Amino acid sequence: MGMEIRRATTVAELIAAQHLYDAPARPAWAARFLAAPGHLMLIAYADGAPAGTTANSPC
């Protein structure tokens, strides 16, 4: 199984990983998250499919 971790830079990446969140992703909110200074979302991929996430939002 191939593993890779990448920083999410597009709304499409966040939407593709929405099965990993507590609720469905909202495109407008995802865009605001990505545009906000200091916000970061990393997505782990297993064989090309989103398999895990971690995020950082500054206080």
Side-chain angles (χ1 to χ4, degrees), residues 3-35:
M3 294 289 293
E4 182 179 15
I5 298 174
R6 297 191 311 255
R7 182 178 184 161
T9 59
T10 68
V11 170
E13 290 172 297
L14 297 181
I15 299 298
Q18 70 181 340
H19 66 280
L20 300 169
Y21 313 144
D22 293 335
R26 297 182 184 186
W29 291 12
R32 280 197 306 259
F33 177 88
L34 291 172

Side-chain angles (χ1 to χ4, degrees), residues 7-8 14 32-43 53-59:
R7 182 178 184 161
L14 297 181
R32 280 197 306 259
F33 177 88
L34 291 172
H39 283 68
L40 168 72
M41 173 72 76
L42 299 176
I43 301 175
T53 65
T54 189
N56 180 50
S57 300
C59 297

